[in-house]
Amino acid sequence: NSQIKTLGIVLAVIFVILLLLFRSFKMAFIAILPNTIRATSVLGLMGFLGMPLDLMAITITSITIGLAVNDSIHYIYRFYEEFPLDRDYLATMHRCHGSITTAMCYTSAMIVAGFTLLVLSNFMPTVHFGLLTSFAIIVALIANLTLLPALMVLLKPAIPEQAVLAPRSIND
């Protein structure tokens, strides 16, 4: 019961942060969905493998939400940059995939590689932590490259003419 409450609080806090960042309820909702799926997939894998839902489970889930939300923010930020060019959601999604996907894959691969090194430990909870965190980051990457863009195109969140997150020039 307390683990579910803790996970709910983590997701609620991340949602509020996304709400403040994007200044849009719809955009925050779109951004939190891939991260919710990732969290439930880790808990589902743990259940499938017969692992107990203990302190380690909630720690893994909470940490990976923080790590994985990074890709969501990167993708949405790029969407905000690209959308004013033609105000077409589908074309913007294609441009975003052409520009931000490589960076997201590289950063996720580095995080996975780092956590996968934990399998060299002799302490089994550390091994589980490394493997489950790596699994969560891979699921998050897949969700952020498939579900997140699909939600952006289907739900068409309002993006202002001058994007809130507009990049600054070097002179600023």
Side-chain angles (χ1 to χ4, degrees):
N1 185 26
S2 68
Q3 291 172 4
I4 292 171
K5 286 180 184 175
T6 302
L7 183 59
I9 290 170
V10 168
L11 287 171
V13 168
I14 295 292
F15 181 80
V16 169
I17 291 169
L18 292 169
L19 188 60
L20 293 172
L21 179 65
F22 297 122
R23 298 178 188 140
S24 164
F25 182 85
K26 195 179 221 181
M27 191 65 80
F29 176 75
I30 290 170
I32 201 73
L33 273 180
N35 295 292
T36 304
I37 288 174
R38 191 232 3 95
T40 55
S41 69
V42 170
L43 294 173
L45 178 65
M46 291 179 73
F48 180 75
L49 297 175
M51 298 174 74
L53 294 176
D54 55 7
L55 179 62
M56 182 62 76
I58 202 64
T59 302
I60 292 168
T61 308
S62 298
I63 288 173
T64 54
I65 287 173
L67 291 171
V69 78
N70 189 34
D71 281 345
S72 298
I73 292 170
H74 280 172
Y75 194 91
I76 293 171
Y77 182 87
R78 177 60 65 164
F79 207 92
Y80 269 56
E81 285 180 333
E82 297 287 340
F83 188 75
L85 294 177
D86 57 14
R87 312 236 10 114
D88 180 354
Y89 287 89
L90 189 59
T92 301
M93 181 202 68
H94 287 293
R95 278 195 308 278
C96 288
H97 266 60
S99 61
I100 196 73
T101 301
T102 304
M104 288 171 64
C105 289
Y106 281 142
T107 57
S108 295
M110 292 299 108
I111 293 169
V112 167
F115 278 103
T116 302
L117 288 175
L118 294 176
V119 302
L120 301 174
S121 174
N122 293 327
F123 188 55
M124 283 313 289
T126 303
V127 172
H128 292 155
F129 178 71
L131 291 175
L132 290 171
T133 303
S134 296
F135 170 76
I137 296 300
I138 292 168
V139 170
L141 178 64
I142 292 168
N144 283 316
L145 291 177
T146 57
L147 180 62
L148 181 62
L151 289 171
M152 298 286 283
V153 170
L154 289 174
L155 298 179
K156 296 181 179 9
I159 298 173
E161 199 64 41
Q162 178 64 28
V164 175
L165 301 174
R168 297 182 190 189
S169 70
I170 296 173
N171 298 328
D172 287 347

